[in-house]
């Protein structure tokens, strides 16, 4: 891993790294916040929250706008934030729209060309990146996962598809039923197939009935979110959970939109949720 930058933050360190990803076959950058407990003479390994960002974002959006470091420092929790897609490939059509290709990997493993050799963000965030940071940084194998919008979708499917891999999961304004919204349909048809049956393993609402582990879901959603009705559909996720008694705490927040102002307002609640599962409280 090549260290790109480091900043002291609440007596911890915010670091940015570059490495070559075998899963994506390209160079990738990601960010890590190490709390004070992981640094210095009395340093110890700490658990981590993996944060998956939304469309058009990189690792820098969450780290600079969410205001999570202060609480993470107090809890003794690392934050790991990957990018949202492969970079530097310049595949045909990759940069043509904001909701497909560059910045829009959707946390799936693509099977259609030319995306299949590189757009494997699911394998990257679930397998490769944790192995990398847990091998080279003072981070334990105790993991939680969260995310926003497209990243909320990614966090939910990562937890639902990998029993025992994460201690807890949460999401802000997730794309909860991507098979039934324009963003998801565009991504799934482009990366996967026109056969909707191939989409089912990447849709949190459709995974709920057969989930082999039922981690409680914490989902925050703003009522003034401009994408609520057309893209996000949290009610479908809640209905699926109710039918199989999968615990979900869906909190609707009056007046909040889709921005990082919303995330910053409630990020501490999510960190507390994960801290309890990670044994930090």
């Amino acid at each position: 891993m090549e260290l790109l930058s480091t900043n002291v933050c609440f007596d911890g360190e915010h670091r940015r790294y570059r490495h070559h990803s075998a899963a994506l076959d390209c160079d990738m950058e990601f960010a890590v916040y190490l709390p004070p407990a992981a640094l210095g003479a009395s340093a110890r390994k700490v658990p981590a929250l993996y944060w998956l960002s939304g469309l058009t974002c990189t690792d820098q959006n969450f780290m600079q706008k969410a205001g999570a470091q202060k609480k993470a420092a107090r809890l003794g929790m690392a934050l790991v934030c990957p990018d949202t897609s492969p970079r530097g490939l310049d595949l045909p059509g990759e940069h043509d729209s904001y909701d497909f290709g560059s910045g829009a990997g959707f946390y799936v493993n693509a099977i259609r060309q030319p995306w299949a050799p590189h757009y494997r963000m699911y394998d990257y965030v679930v397998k490769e990146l944790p192995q990398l940071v847990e091998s080279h940084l003072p981070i334990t194998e105790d993991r939680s996962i969260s995310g926003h919008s497209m990243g909320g979708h990614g966090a939910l499917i990562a937890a639902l598809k990998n029993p025992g891999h994460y201690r807890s999961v949460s999401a802000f304004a997730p794309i909860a039923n991507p098979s039934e919204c324009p963003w998801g349909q565009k991504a799934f048809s482009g990366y996967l197939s026109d056969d909707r049956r191939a989409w089912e393993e990447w849709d949190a609402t459709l995974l709920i009935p057969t989930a082999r582990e039922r981690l409680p879901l914490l989902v925050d959603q703003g009522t003034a979110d401009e994408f609520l009705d057309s893209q996000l559909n949290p009610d479908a996720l809640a209905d699926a959970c109710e039918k199989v008694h999968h615990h979900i705490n869906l909190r609707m927040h009056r007046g909040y939109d889709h921005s990082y102002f919303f995330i910053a307002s409630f990020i501490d609640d999510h960190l507390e949720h994960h801290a309890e599962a990670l044994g930090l409280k």
Side-chain angles (χ1 to χ4, degrees):
M1 301 193 305
E2 176 190 359
L3 181 63
L4 300 177
S5 64
T6 181
N7 304 93
V8 175
C9 185
F10 297 105
D11 293 325
E13 284 187 34
H14 168 260
R15 301 177 182 177
R16 298 193 71 243
Y17 288 97
R18 179 187 294 124
H19 75 111
H20 184 79
S21 167
L24 309 178
D25 193 21
C26 67
D27 287 345
M28 292 292 287
E29 296 178 0
F30 67 93
V32 176
Y33 176 70
L34 294 175
L39 304 169
S42 58
R44 66 178 188 274
K45 288 190 173 184
V46 297
L49 172 65
Y50 289 77
W51 174 270
L52 306 185
S53 295
L55 289 168
T56 75
C57 290
T58 68
D59 63 280
Q60 298 185 68
N61 297 77
F62 176 78
M63 289 299 196
Q64 294 181 9
K65 296 179 179 180
Q69 291 92 339
K70 185 175 183 178
K71 174 67 77 171
R74 291 176 176 174
L75 292 169
M77 179 190 298
L79 305 172
V80 181
C81 190
D83 205 342
T84 52
S85 76
R87 300 288 178 174
L89 301 171
D90 294 326
L91 300 174
E94 187 178 24
H95 311 305
D96 289 355
S97 60
Y98 80 96
D99 55 356
F100 186 81
S102 182
F106 253 83
Y107 304 104
V108 301
N109 285 340
I111 57 177
R112 273 192 157 171
Q113 297 297 334
W115 316 102
H118 303 286
Y119 273 70
R120 304 185 62 82
M121 287 299 295
Y122 174 81
D123 278 355
Y124 179 69
V125 301
V126 172
K127 300 175 183 178
E128 184 177 16
L129 186 60
Q131 290 173 359
L132 185 70
V133 299
E134 290 162 12
S135 297
H136 291 86
L137 296 173
I139 290 176
T140 71
E141 294 181 0
D142 296 318
R143 313 173 198 94
S144 292
I145 192 163
S146 185
H148 171 232
S149 194
M150 178 184 72
H153 142 76
L156 292 172
I157 64 168
L160 289 167
K161 289 164 66 69
N162 293 277
H165 196 67
Y166 301 101
R167 295 289 187 91
S168 54
V169 58
S170 71
F172 285 85
I175 304 173
N177 191 191
S179 297
E180 301 299 332
C181 77
W183 279 343
Q185 291 166 353
K186 181 176 181 177
F188 287 179
S189 61
Y191 294 133
L192 302 173
S193 166
D194 292 327
D195 183 355
R196 294 177 65 94
R197 290 173 297 180
W199 303 359
E200 294 177 3
E201 65 172 308
W202 306 106
D203 186 315
T205 296
L206 302 181
L207 288 170
I208 286 290
T210 57
R212 290 184 289 135
E213 181 181 46
R214 300 207 174 276
L215 293 175
L217 307 183
L218 172 60
V219 178
D220 278 348
Q221 174 65 60
T223 63
D225 190 320
E226 61 268 41
F227 304 114
L228 175 57
D229 294 331
S230 60
Q231 303 283 7
L232 305 178
N233 202 4
D235 289 342
L237 178 66
D239 289 346
C241 288
E242 183 178 0
K243 288 177 181 176
V244 296
H245 307 291
H246 190 132
H247 179 76
I248 182 171
N249 183 9
L250 172 59
R251 309 192 306 180
M252 302 298 295
H253 299 278
R254 183 176 178 84
Y256 284 89
D257 59 20
H258 200 69
S259 73
Y260 266 84
F261 293 107
F262 168 50
I263 295 170
S265 298
F266 300 101
I267 190 63
D268 283 4
D269 291 352
H270 286 243
L271 295 178
E272 293 277 358
H273 167 77
H274 296 298
E276 185 170 354
L278 291 167
L280 295 173
K281 294 186 64 180

